[in-house]
Structures are given as C-alpha cells and as structure tokens.
Amino acid sequence: MTPLSSRPIKTPWHSALARRIATLWVTKMLGTTLGISGFFVLYFWVMHHPLGLPLTMPLTAVDHWVPLSDDALPLYASLWLYVGLAPALAKDRAELLLHAQAAALMAAIGLAVFWLFPTVVPVFAVDWTQYTSLQFLKSTDAGGNAFPSLHVSFAVFTAVLMTRQLRSVDAPGWVLALNWLWAAGIVYSTLATRQHVLLDVLGGTALAGFMSWITGPARRRLILVGV
C-alpha cells in the first residue's frame, strides 16, 4: 500500500481550469478575436451574394409555440462570449489547434450551404418598433443564412468541447449542467428572437453533432491535421 504522504495531491478542478486559461492566453485571445471577425466578414458577404433565390424556411408547430421575446436578445448575443470559452480552456497548443480547425471547418460547411442553397426565415407579422432591442438585430441581420443555424452549431459544439474539458479536470456536476444550460438558452434564443425556425435549429444541431463526432479522440486524426 502506498503511504498517504507519498500519494500525489490532486489539483482542484478550478485551479486546473485557471491553469488552462493562463496557457497561451495571448494566442487564444487574438486567435478568437480574429476568427470571429473573419467569420462575420464572410457571413455577411454570403448573405448579400447568394448564388440563387433564397428559399423561405417553413414554420412548424414549435415555431408558433415559442413566444417572441425581447428578453432573449442577451442570451442570443452571449454566444460570442460562450464560443470563446472552449479555446480559452484548451490545455495546450495541440488542443487549441484542434478547436480552431474544427470551428473553421464547421463554418466553411455552413457558409457553403448558405451560398449554394440560400435560405431565409419567413417574414413574421411583427411590428419590430414595439421590440426596441430586437429592432437593431433585425436591421443588421436580415434573416438570411437561415439553414443550418450556425448560431446553434457553435453553441452545441462548444457545449460538447467544454464538457470534455470539464470532465478532464473532474469538474462537479453543477458546472457541467451550467454549461449545457447556457448552450440550451442560446438555442432557445434563436427561436425566441425569430432569427431562426425549428428546422434551422435541427440542421445546426446535426452539423454540430457531426463535428463533435469527427473530433472525438478516436477520429480526430482522420479529419484534422497538425495535432
């Protein structure tokens, strides 16, 4: 039996996460900022230069059931904070590169679909002047690039990556639950702000599921290089 005094002391989960955040923090900060900025440039270019006439996405019963909410905008906007957490928690350069490659590939797939098969959300019978917070969103993002919802894709994929990271440091269950609750709130907000419909959400979830599968430990080297 190993004496108690000689057993290695396990690093608390919060200290392990702090160590991860401190690793390559300048590279992470600059890379995430440039990545998001570059994505927006391509996103709006594709939206304004579709290859054909956009198809209007059909509504489902769920779309009628989820009420329009001005209060959902902060959750919707929080995606751009949330997606920075997974790269921030990367333990080393290899994991950071994996996340960057996966995010770039997922964005490329989504943007290619937007360009080749353009879609828009329906014109909702809403007086947007009554929803001051959402009015600005509607004026900047006109409801194009609907299917699949990359907002949902990035939220779900980030939740999967963070679950792996949190489990690796033995984070408690409430932290894991909070991670998924945040992601679920973002998904809900895409419907509540009328930026997407249910079919967009399902498509975005499927894309995130595919990316989560190919970045699993047994398959990541088959798709992503340099790790």
Side-chain angles (χ1 to χ4, degrees):
M1 178 179 292
T2 304
L4 292 177
S5 59
S6 64
R7 292 181 184 177
I9 299 175
K10 187 173 181 60
T11 303
W13 66 271
H14 45 83
S15 298
L17 291 182
R19 184 180 303 166
R20 282 172 169 252
I21 292 173
T23 301
L24 300 169
W25 70 270
V26 174
T27 301
K28 293 172 178 178
M29 179 180 64
L30 293 178
T32 300
T33 301
L34 291 174
I36 292 175
S37 300
F39 169 77
F40 273 125
V41 170
L42 294 173
Y43 178 88
F44 285 111
W45 186 92
V46 169
M47 178 182 291
H48 295 297
H49 300 84
L51 196 59
L53 188 65
L55 171 72
T56 300
M57 295 299 294
L59 295 173
T60 66
V62 172
D63 297 302
H64 293 290
W65 175 70
V66 177
L68 175 65
S69 173
D70 225 8
D71 296 331
L73 182 59
L75 266 177
Y76 185 84
S78 74
L79 172 74
W80 306 112
L81 171 62
Y82 184 60
V83 295
L85 296 180
L89 293 177
K91 65 181 179 180
D92 52 30
R93 191 176 299 275
E95 186 175 312
L96 182 61
L97 181 59
L98 173 68
H99 292 180
Q101 290 176 317
L105 179 57
M106 186 164 64
I109 293 172
L111 291 171
V113 174
F114 295 157
W115 189 61
L116 295 172
F117 308 101
T119 50
V120 295
V121 297
V123 177
F124 295 97
V126 175
D127 180 5
W128 294 110
T129 62
Q130 301 300 312
Y131 298 87
T132 54
S133 296
L134 296 178
Q135 190 176 14
F136 173 75
L137 176 62
K138 295 301 177 181
S139 67
T140 56
D141 190 347
N145 294 351
F147 180 92
S149 168
L150 282 182
H151 217 82
V152 170
S153 295
F154 280 112
V156 174
F157 185 55
T158 298
V160 172
L161 292 180
M162 287 186 60
T163 296
R164 294 170 181 169
Q165 293 168 323
L166 293 170
R167 284 177 174 168
S168 72
V169 298
D170 295 327
W174 67 265
V175 178
L176 294 168
L178 184 62
N179 171 45
W180 279 102
L181 185 62
W182 192 348
I186 294 171
V187 173
Y188 153 77
S189 74
T190 65
L191 298 176
T193 58
R194 298 298 187 263
Q195 285 297 101
H196 288 285
V197 299
L198 178 63
L199 293 179
D200 304 332
V201 169
L202 296 177
T205 302
L207 178 55
F210 172 69
M211 292 307 305
S212 300
W213 179 76
I214 68 172
T215 56
R219 292 165 296 277
R220 63 181 60 175
R221 294 182 183 274
L222 297 178
I223 304 297
L224 305 176
V225 297
V227 179

